[in-house]
C-alpha cells in the first residue's frame, strides 16, 4: 500500500466536515421558508388585529362627530409616520445587504490568509519529512 492510498488525519476530518457542511447547506432553504412563513404570519396577524379594531370602533367613533379637519390632519400625520417607518425598513434592508457583503468579504480574506498559512505549513511539513528520511 503506497502512502497516497493510506488515509490521512486531514482526509478523515475533511470528509466528515464536508458531510456536516453539506447537511447544513441542504437545510438553508427549509430554514428560510420556516422563518419567512412565521414572519408573514406575524405581519398578517398584526394587520388583522388593526382591521378588527377598525370594525369594532367604527360605530363608536361615528357617534362622536369628530371634526373632518382633525381626521384629515390625523391622516396626514399617520402618512408621515408611515413614511418614516418605510424609510427605516429600507435603510435596515440596505444595512443588512452591506453587512452581509462585508462579512462575506471578510470570510474570503480569511480564507485567502488560511490558504497562505497552509501553503507555508505544507512546505514546513515537507521539509521536516525530507529531514526525517536522512
Amino acid at each position: 500500500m503506497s502512502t497516497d492510498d493510506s488515509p490521512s488525519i486531514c482526509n478523515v476530518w475533511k470528509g466528515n466536515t464536508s458531510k456536516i457542511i453539506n447537511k447544513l447547506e441542504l437545510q438553508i432553504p427549509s430554514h428560510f421558508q420556516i422563518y419567512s412563513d412565521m414572519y408573514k404570519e406575524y405581519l398578517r396577524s398584526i394587520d388583522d388585529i388593526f382591521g378588527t379594531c377598525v370594525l369594532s370602533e367604527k360605530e363608536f367613533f361615528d357617534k362622536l362627530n369628530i371634526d373632518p379637519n382633525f381626521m384629515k390632519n390625523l391622516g396626514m400625520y399617520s402618512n408621515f409616520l408611515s413614511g418614516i417607518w418605510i424609510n427605516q425598513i429600507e435603510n435596515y434592508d440596505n444595512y443588512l445587504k452591506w453587512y452581509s457583503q462585508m462579512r462575506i468579504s471578510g470570510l474570503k480574506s480569511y480564507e485567502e490568509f488560511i490558504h497562505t498559512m497552509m501553503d507555508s505549513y505544507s512546505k514546513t511539513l515537507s521539509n521536516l519529512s525530507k529531514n526525517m528520511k536522512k
Side-chain angles (χ1 to χ4, degrees):
M1 179 182 216
S2 71
T3 38
D4 294 334
D5 294 338
S6 63
S8 71
I9 293 172
C10 290
N11 285 339
V12 170
W13 286 110
K14 169 71 172 114
N16 288 321
T17 301
S18 292
K19 285 181 198 175
I20 292 168
I21 289 171
N22 287 334
K23 183 63 175 178
L24 288 170
E25 286 177 343
L26 290 173
Q27 300 300 314
I28 291 172
S30 171
H31 289 189
F32 277 129
Q33 190 62 54
I34 289 166
Y35 283 107
S36 176
D37 290 346
M38 286 190 314
Y39 190 63
K40 284 180 193 175
E41 187 59 26
Y42 169 75
L43 295 175
R44 189 209 57 78
S45 178
I46 291 173
D47 193 44
D48 183 62
I49 289 168
F50 279 99
T52 304
C53 177
V54 167
L55 292 175
S56 301
E57 295 178 347
K58 182 174 180 3
E59 184 179 337
F60 173 77
F61 283 111
D62 284 348
K63 289 179 182 178
L64 292 178
N65 293 323
I66 298 174
D67 180 13
N69 284 328
F70 173 77
M71 294 306 294
K72 180 182 174 185
N73 289 331
L74 182 63
M76 289 171 32
Y77 181 66
S78 178
N79 288 337
F80 172 74
L81 292 177
S82 295
I84 289 173
W85 274 99
I86 289 170
N87 192 1
Q88 290 300 315
I89 291 167
E90 290 169 353
N91 286 341
Y92 185 65
D93 186 56
N94 289 333
Y95 167 76
L96 284 178
K97 289 174 186 173
W98 168 81
Y99 180 73
S100 67
Q101 290 169 352
M102 181 189 67
R103 293 285 302 261
I104 289 169
S105 177
L107 286 169
K108 287 180 179 179
S109 295
Y110 179 71
E111 186 178 8
E112 288 175 21
F113 169 74
I114 293 299
H115 279 280
T116 301
M117 295 305 295
M118 290 308 294
D119 287 344
S120 175
Y121 176 68
S122 294
K123 289 176 186 173
T124 301
L125 286 179
S126 178
N127 287 337
L128 284 171
S129 182
K130 288 177 189 175
N131 288 334
M132 290 171 68
K133 291 179 183 178
K134 292 181 182 180

